[in-house]
Amino acid sequence: MLSVALRTLRTRWTTFTGAFVALSLGVALLTVTGLVLASSLDAPRRGPERFAAAPVVVKGADTLRVRTPAGVRTQKLARPRALTAGTVARLGRLGPVVVDRTFPVRVADGGPGDLVGHPWSVAAFAPYRLTAGRAPTAPDEVAISGDWARVGEAVRTDRGVLRVVGTVRSASSSGGAGSRGFEDAVFCTDARAAQLSPSVVQLVVAADPAVVRRAVRGVDGVQVLTGDARREADADPDRDAEAVTAMNALFGTAGGVSAFVSVFVVASTFAFAVAQRRREFGLLRTVGATPGQLRRMVVAEALGVGVLASAAGCLLGSYGAPLLAARVVEAGLAPGWFTVGAHTWPYQLAFWTGLSVALGGVVAASRRAGRTGPAEALREASVDSRTMTPGRLLAGAALLLTAAVTLCLALAGDPGDLLHRKSSTSRPMLLITAVALLAPLVVRPLTRLLAWLPARLPGAVGMLVRENAAAAVRRTAAVAAPVLVTVALTGSLLGATATLNGAKAAEARARTTADFVVTPRGGAAFDAATVARLREVPGATVSPTSAGAVYVLEDGGALVRSEARAAEPGPLAATVRLPLSAGKAGDLDDGSIIVNEEWQRHTVGQRVRVWLGDGAERTLRIAAVMTTGTGGNGVYVTPRNAPGADVDRVDVALADGADPDAVAAGLRAAVRDAGGQVRTESQWLRATRPHADRTTRLGFLLVLGIALLYTGVSLATTMVMATSDRVRDLAVLRLAGATRRQVLRLVGAEALTVVAVGASLGLAVAWLNLAGMWGALRLLSVRSAIELPWAAVGGAVAACAVLAVVSSVVPAALVLRRRAVDLAGVRE
């Protein structure tokens, strides 16, 4: 039977082209994913940037360490502790000390964002070198990196009008004076930096590291950094690791989806091919072939396709991985140093996975081939029978039941788990597989329903479309399967993001009662003088809040971080409507905390042991409890329990009888020098409406691109296979009097009907997935609606429709160029 299988591959190459292309693409993506993962595992650690030339860096405590029965638990502090004056003086006796200070700088009138200020004395440790001009010597003079201003230019900022007297370039920047390097820095005099940032968090000391360590021994949490450890003094030392983790998640999801869709395409292609070849299998049984031989022949065909496709995919992946790595670096999704290394195990994994997918996709098809009887060689009926086998029915029902049970368990146990991207990506696959397996049960009634109105229009086309699509259940299900996958994934993935973002927007809308919201530009903070000016605006009740963190021990040994907002209780109650399930916001004071239901202890009146953002330990009383919501409610404390936290948002409520326009003008005047923005409630809600982050958007585009590509391959090949199998049907229509144009219109209408069946099933799957998320949101006390991405779904359906029509009409047009009597096998 092996020789028969090889001849079948050669003569029926169009049947296996779709599976070959889809499988090779899937293996290629698995190869790329494996190479990216392997390269990220042995990626070099980024060296120090700001202090690459510093001898020793001493940094205050930035890590909270808590002893528990299960060992020491650690978390990064939201506010690193400053070095005490005594510690600084002690280090000063060891050698020259240069204090590092960092503060944000915002340029007015739409200047560049994320500028970072430093004292000039630390510029030498990057090292930064002057490329033009000179060093700053006066309080209003600065030297800058980047090309956003020229030497001699006066720039208006929240720190006053600054004169640019020099430009610098860092050693890590490869370009000229305009190269950015790792930050956009603004250097002022040391005296001015001390005024703007008086606390000392870290410093550079020129002394022997061992002597420095002895000098700070016993000072809690102080770090002495040398060598590569100096990178811990950079602004964001973990950004490379976070970028690599996000990149791995992106390609891991893409690889999983490609494997899933590959199985779908291969399985549906082989299933349809077996259904088409039942007369061929019947003839083989008639001449003595056993069921086992037929099964082995089908498996051998899949083995041949799998070996060739997997090898081609590995080759394609070896070329594609470096190109893709360069693109993700350019897009900012990976660190600049990231490249794909030489690894062998990704090729092994991708090859054998692809081969397993090919063989696994034909298991059911081979069993169906083995069940073909000799009488099938004489059967000419066009109506499919026994399309739903007991095994397929059992597997589909089991998967559907599994999807329902796991959903119910998640809703009953942890509804918040359904809101995570991992769940919204993996759960649709289970339901898609279940619906695809059970599709033959609903194809015929759904087809009749969709074609009910066209069948009643004048002419026979509508009736023929309905009857042909309903009779050929296997063909309809095979074509509808890739459409189902594409529409279901598009609706589920994009719809989950849209529904969750809509829920977050609804939360923000429900809890914001302020008339105005004042925020700084560039994500920085307001200083005390600006807040004082805001408080002086007549007719305004001002509620300044700041971001921080609170840490708590849960489950006996887990140190959990919760995002915190610090606010004064009275103004907070006037400008915010907290989603409370117990207690009152007005009861918040310096000895209490407002928590949410995610906390292990969340009963009003209970006392909890917490650590504040700077690591200070407190025991606070629970004043009120908020609902869990979408997971962003965090906790609330008073400003006294958020030491060092800067005001980054000011909610403003109008006093009785106050003129909104006058208050708005007063608020704008108060924040003009600080570069703040004054928005009404509706303007602020629109500006801050949640959107998918860039990495998520690119990940979804990649996943959906894979699904649409596979859909195109599967649709094209399946429609070509179906058309070639209907040559005599088309000839009979021509002999019955139908024109060539009428036959082609019938073929196109049938393709559109089948796409409509797949789209309907895909929409049903997407709606069921989003309904589970909606139920989870309701249990988490969030009132929101299901948001289906109609534009994206419509685009996916339109693309599928175009592919299906073209892939069916073009082969039919080529076939109809011959005479009808020749096609029908009738001799003149």
Side-chain angles (χ1 to χ4, degrees):
M1 299 304 290
L2 179 60
S3 60
V4 176
L6 294 176
R7 291 190 182 95
T8 302
L9 287 176
R10 186 172 64 251
T11 56
R12 288 183 171 267
W13 63 269
T14 56
T15 301
F16 303 100
T17 299
F20 176 87
V21 173
L23 193 57
S24 60
L25 290 175
V27 172
L29 192 53
L30 290 175
T31 303
V32 171
T33 302
L35 288 172
V36 169
L37 291 173
S39 301
S40 65
L41 292 177
D42 59 3
R45 286 173 60 87
R46 181 175 55 82
E49 293 174 328
R50 285 194 57 224
F51 299 98
V56 180
V57 179
V58 179
K59 185 178 182 181
D62 65 350
T63 303
L64 174 63
R65 301 180 184 276
V66 179
R67 294 187 179 278
T68 71
V72 177
R73 296 293 181 261
T74 62
Q75 282 277 8
K76 280 286 185 182
L77 288 173
R79 301 286 173 182
R81 298 174 190 167
L83 296 170
T84 64
T87 301
V88 175
R90 193 180 315 132
L91 293 171
R93 291 192 290 269
L94 303 180
V97 168
V98 177
V99 176
D100 176 47
R101 305 178 193 275
T102 300
F103 50 90
V105 178
R106 295 185 297 277
V107 177
D109 303 326
D114 298 328
L115 298 179
V116 183
H118 302 298
W120 174 251
S121 58
V122 302
F125 298 119
Y128 279 101
R129 294 185 176 87
L130 281 167
T131 56
R134 59 176 176 82
T137 56
D140 64 341
E141 293 180 347
V142 293
I144 66 168
S145 67
D147 55 3
W148 55 272
R150 296 186 300 273
V151 174
E153 185 176 347
V155 182
R156 190 162 65 88
T157 72
D158 60 328
R159 308 296 182 179
V161 178
L162 304 177
R163 290 188 299 116
V164 179
V165 297
T167 59
V168 299
R169 180 170 62 90
S170 69
S172 62
S173 180
S174 59
S179 298
R180 180 179 182 276
F182 54 86
E183 65 178 350
D184 281 329
V186 176
F187 293 97
C188 60
T189 63
D190 287 30
R192 180 58 175 159
Q195 293 175 354
L196 297 175
S197 179
S199 63
V200 180
V201 175
Q202 57 192 25
L203 53 79
V204 178
V205 56
D208 181 77
V211 175
V212 175
R213 289 189 176 91
R214 285 197 297 269
V216 299
R217 186 175 298 158
V219 182
D220 185 30
V222 172
Q223 306 170 70
V224 177
L225 307 175
T226 59
D228 285 344
R230 292 169 297 178
R231 66 186 293 274
E232 298 299 327
D234 290 336
D236 189 6
D238 296 325
R239 69 176 185 270
D240 286 359
E242 294 169 357
V244 170
T245 300
M247 181 179 59
N248 290 344
L250 168 65
F251 287 109
T253 301
V257 171
S258 66
F260 169 74
V261 181
S262 294
V263 172
F264 236 87
V265 171
V266 172
S268 62
T269 301
F270 272 94
F272 186 47
V274 169
Q276 277 189 312
R277 296 163 60 190
R278 63 182 183 273
R279 293 192 66 209
E280 174 187 326
F281 292 147
L283 288 172
L284 291 173
R285 290 297 312 280
T286 302
V287 297
T290 65
Q293 288 177 318
L294 292 182
R295 287 194 295 269
R296 287 193 293 274
M297 182 185 72
V298 174
V299 171
E301 293 169 356
L303 182 64
V305 172
V307 169
L308 294 176
S310 297
C314 289
L315 182 63
L316 183 62
S318 67
Y319 287 102
L323 297 176
L324 193 56
R327 292 295 179 271
V328 297
V329 169
E330 290 178 6
L333 299 179
W337 46 258
F338 183 78
T339 57
V340 172
H343 303 277
T344 57
W345 68 261
Y347 295 102
Q348 297 280 347
L349 179 64
F351 180 87
W352 293 111
T353 300
L355 190 57
S356 300
V357 166
L359 295 177
V362 299
V363 171
S366 65
R367 291 177 179 173
R368 184 179 296 118
R371 289 196 299 268
T372 304
E376 296 289 341
L378 306 177
R379 185 170 296 172
E380 291 286 348
S382 298
V383 179
D384 288 335
S385 60
R386 295 194 309 169
T387 55
M388 178 59 71
T389 62
R392 181 169 184 163
L393 179 62
L394 182 61
L399 288 175
L400 190 62
L401 181 62
T402 301
V405 170
T406 54
L407 175 62
C408 293
L409 291 176
L411 291 173
D414 184 12
D417 183 62
L418 296 176
L419 308 183
H420 298 158
R421 187 173 66 176
K422 182 179 178 181
S423 296
S424 62
T425 303
S426 59
R427 292 190 64 83
M429 297 182 187
L430 185 63
L431 194 54
I432 288 172
T433 307
V435 172
L437 288 173
L438 298 176
L441 292 177
V442 297
V443 161
R444 188 169 282 132
L446 183 56
T447 301
R448 294 187 182 279
L449 176 63
L450 293 174
W452 177 82
L453 181 59
R456 277 157 177 73
L457 296 177
V461 173
M463 182 269 294
L464 288 174
V465 167
R466 181 189 64 185
E467 296 305 323
N468 285 342
V473 174
R474 287 193 181 95
R475 183 177 71 237
T476 302
V479 177
V483 181
L484 160 66
V485 173
T486 301
V487 174
L489 285 178
T490 302
S492 297
L493 298 183
L494 299 184
T497 302
T499 299
L500 184 57
N501 288 338
K504 291 179 178 179
E507 277 187 313
R509 198 164 45 245
R511 69 192 303 171
T512 303
T513 60
D515 297 285
F516 298 98
V517 178
V518 186
T519 55
R521 295 183 185 273
F526 289 129
D527 56 21
T530 302
V531 175
R533 288 195 299 269
L534 288 170
R535 293 183 188 275
E536 294 172 357
V537 175
T541 300
V542 175
S543 175
T545 61
S546 53
V550 169
Y551 308 87
V552 63
L553 275 177
E554 294 189 350
D555 296 324
L559 187 58
V560 180
R561 169 176 171 148
S562 292
E563 300 302 319
R565 298 294 300 179
E568 299 171 1
L572 175 68
T575 57
V576 175
R577 186 188 301 110
L578 296 181
L580 298 179
S581 61
K584 296 185 297 183
D587 292 342
L588 178 66
D589 54 30
D590 291 339
S592 63
I593 184 174
I594 298 176
V595 302
N596 61 68
E597 291 176 339
E598 284 186 304
W599 279 44
Q600 188 175 27
R601 306 185 72 182
H602 55 269
T603 302
V604 173
Q606 281 185 315
R607 303 190 71 82
V608 290
R609 178 191 178 201
V610 300
W611 289 262
L612 306 180
D614 65 347
E617 183 178 348
R618 296 282 190 276
T619 299
L620 301 176
R621 174 181 53 84
I622 297 177
V625 180
M626 295 182 291
T627 58
T628 301
T630 57
N633 285 339
V635 303
Y636 279 83
V637 295
T638 61
R640 183 178 178 183
N641 290 323
D646 298 319
V647 173
D648 59 2
R649 172 178 164 180
V650 179
D651 290 30
V652 181
L654 293 174
D656 293 338
D659 181 13
D661 293 335
V663 172
L667 295 174
R668 292 189 182 96
V671 298
R672 183 175 295 114
D673 292 338
Q677 293 178 291
V678 179
R679 298 189 184 101
T680 63
E681 176 195 13
S682 58
Q683 290 173 337
W684 182 80
L685 288 172
R686 284 196 301 271
T688 58
R689 180 180 174 84
H691 295 90
D693 60 78
R694 188 161 169 267
T695 301
T696 301
R697 288 197 305 272
L698 290 176
F700 283 162
L701 288 176
L702 179 61
V703 169
L704 295 178
I706 293 168
L708 190 57
L709 179 62
Y710 283 155
T711 297
V713 171
S714 182
L715 273 176
T717 54
T718 305
M719 295 305 294
V720 169
M721 291 164 55
T723 302
S724 64
D725 197 44
R726 300 181 61 197
V727 171
R728 297 193 65 188
D729 293 343
L730 301 180
V732 169
L733 288 174
R734 292 283 283 119
L735 291 174
T739 66
R740 185 169 178 267
R741 180 171 298 181
Q742 287 175 324
V743 174
L744 294 179
R745 191 161 59 241
L746 171 65
V747 171
E750 287 183 20
L752 290 177
T753 302
V754 175
V755 169
V757 170
S760 300
L761 294 175
L763 281 173
V765 170
W767 188 89
L768 288 174
N769 277 299
L770 297 181
M773 175 177 281
W774 177 83
L777 290 169
R778 298 283 291 188
L779 291 175
L780 295 171
S781 304
V782 180
R783 300 293 183 265
S784 65
I786 294 176
E787 296 191 22
L788 269 169
W790 291 110
V793 170
V797 174
C800 293
V802 170
L803 285 170
V805 171
V806 171
S807 301
S808 59
V809 170
V810 171
L814 295 176
V815 167
L816 292 176
R817 295 172 64 183
R818 298 170 56 191
R819 293 190 307 168
V821 291
D822 293 336
L823 296 176
V826 179
R827 296 184 180 276
E828 297 185 34

